[in-house]
């Protein structure tokens, strides 16, 4: 976790002091903007052990959108400013306090990457009801909206929920086999699961979907506990099970990088190894280097590699040089652009209800795909359709899950076909 300390320093330099309204650097003053700014609240992990990398990505994407908007004359003639406050994603009290700080600052909307304990934050935000637009990726949170839509009407999850990681996993395995790029040595799947509720939900969904589809079988489920200090016992268990497909259901980039290094030294031959989400964080490639080649991962929320996505990647890298995170960079950017359209459509950012109604009635296609909030869970629909709610049968009616393989130390989208950049390549430990 040493690198996270350095990333906190970057966040402080980008976001100034936590808990204060900040005008980010490089904002043009050529346009005469009204003195009364529109303020967006950003609970951002800066001092906790978890989530700093994702929150830096989210802050950077938000910053980029804010700078572009202010450069072009603001929103309704008013400058957009950010209110950044610290949060510990694993602490219910901290999540609640971060939202309370935003309310005290009288923000016009709240945006965050994700919180592991979203319900306390949602309950706190219900006291204020400004638009709360985020990428929490949790079905428990959207089910809370479904059970009480009046209380949580102002809360929008801009990505599909984590259950889709599990539901889509066997679909992906079947696709790679059908393509002829992977010939499974057996029909076994070995799931390695972390203990936070988020990962447990994914594991259960995967087990359910594998059984339902019937093409593979779960041979073993092995528990791990954050932080993982040594992967050797886990890899030994992998070798004993010797499954054709291995799903590592975890979320920490640095620990995934350590896993890759240890696995490459003593691999499970001919196994297709998948790691859920964490490799999307920039430090994964920095730490893993060449040992990352051949491993696969996915995200239900990510920057596409289409024309719109490539243009965003280019300008993001110009503004924030280095390895780019592929998830919350785009989500932070998309949320601001979505809110801008809503504020302009309503004409009054202080009319929270009208802005929320506008968001519900107007889908938005961003760099991470299509967001339509008008459904029973108020979350983005998942593509491809995996037979579970909420799914879309067309790419431009949902947000595509991106299955990615590291090829030549670069992330390449390999599934679904509608948005792929490459095909699955043989891993170094195959054959």
């Amino acid at each position: 976790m040493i690198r996270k300390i350095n990333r906190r320093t970057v966040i402080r330099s980008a976001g100034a002091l936590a808990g204060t309204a900040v005008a980010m650097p490089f904002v043009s003053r050529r346009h005469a903007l009204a003195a009364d700014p529109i303020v967006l609240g950003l609970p951002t992990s800066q001092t906790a052990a978890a989530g700093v990398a994702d929150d830096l990505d989210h802050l950077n994407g938000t910053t980029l959108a804010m700078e572009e908007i202010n450069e072009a004359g603001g929103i309704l003639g008013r400058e957009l400013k950010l209110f950044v406050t610290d949060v510990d994603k694993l602490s219910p009290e901290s999540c609640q306090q971060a939202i309370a700080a935003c309310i005290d600052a009288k923000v016009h909307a709240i945006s965050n990457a994700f919180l592991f304990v979203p319900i306390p934050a949602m309950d706190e935000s219900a006291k204020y009801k400004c638009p709360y637009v985020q990428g929490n990726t949790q079905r428990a949170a959207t089910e809370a909206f479904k059970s009480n839509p009046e209380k949580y009407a102002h809360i929008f999850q801009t990505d599909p929920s984590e259950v889709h990681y599990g539901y889509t996993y066997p679909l992906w395995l079947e696709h790679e086999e059908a393509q002829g790029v992977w010939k499974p040595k057996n029909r076994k799947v070995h799931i390695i699961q972390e203990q936070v509720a988020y990962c447990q939900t994914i594991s259960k969904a995967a087990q359910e979907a594998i059984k339902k589809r019937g093409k593979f079988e779960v041979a073993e489920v092995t528990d791990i506990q954050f932080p993982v200090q040594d992967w050797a016992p886990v890899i030994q268990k992998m070798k004993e099970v010797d499954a054709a497909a291995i799903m590592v259901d975890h979320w920490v980039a640095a620990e995934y990088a350590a896993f890759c290094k240890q696995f490459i030294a003593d691999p499970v031959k001919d196994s297709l190894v998948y790691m859920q989400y964490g490799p999307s964080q920039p430090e994964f490639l920095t730490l893993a280097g060449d040992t990352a080649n051949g491993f696969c991962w996915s995200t239900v929320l990510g920057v596409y590699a289409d024309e719109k996505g490539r243009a965003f990647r280019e300008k993001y890298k110009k503004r924030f040089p280095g390895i780019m995170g592929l998830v919350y960079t785009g989500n932070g950017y998309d949320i601001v652009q979505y809110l801008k359209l809503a504020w302009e459509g309503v004409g009054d950012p202080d009319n929270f209800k009208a802005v929320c109604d506008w968001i519900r009635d107007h889908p938005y296609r961003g760099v991470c795909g299509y967001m339509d909030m008008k459904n029973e869970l108020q979350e983005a629909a998942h593509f491809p359709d995996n037979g579970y709610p909420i799914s879309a049968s067309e790419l431009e009616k949902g947000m595509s899950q991106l299955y990615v393989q590291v090829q030549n130390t670069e992330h390449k989208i390999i599934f679904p076909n509608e948005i792929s950049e490459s095909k699955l390549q043989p891993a170094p430990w195959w054959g």
Side-chain angles (χ1 to χ4, degrees), residues 400-420:
S400 181
Q401 183 168 351
L402 309 180
Y403 275 82
V404 179
Q405 185 182 39
V406 181
Q407 301 175 356
N408 298 317
T409 63
E410 291 185 353
H411 297 303
K412 295 293 183 180
I413 300 171
I414 58 172
F415 177 76
N417 291 340
E418 290 87 344
I419 204 164
S420 64

Side-chain angles (χ1 to χ4, degrees), residues 239-254:
K239 293 172 75 71
E240 293 172 7
V241 176
D242 194 31
I246 298 172
M247 175 191 222
V248 187
D249 178 16
H250 193 33
W251 50 280
V252 182

Side-chain angles (χ1 to χ4, degrees), residues 153-208:
H154 62 294
I155 299 174
F156 303 92
Q157 183 174 286
T158 58
D159 60 339
S161 287
E162 83 283 60
V163 289
H164 290 289
Y165 283 114
Y167 294 152
T168 311
Y169 179 69
L171 194 85
W172 172 64
L173 295 181
E174 293 165 26
H175 171 269
E176 300 308 335
E177 182 178 17
Q179 291 276 99
V181 293
W182 174 55
K183 297 180 180 180
K185 59 188 176 182
N186 53 51
R187 311 310 294 180
K188 296 192 294 186
V189 176
H190 187 185
I191 298 176
I192 316 299
Q193 62 178 13
E194 214 276 318
Q195 298 305 294
V196 297
Y198 176 83
C199 293
Q200 292 286 305
T201 300
I202 292 170
S203 176
K204 291 175 182 176
Q207 293 175 57
E208 175 189 336

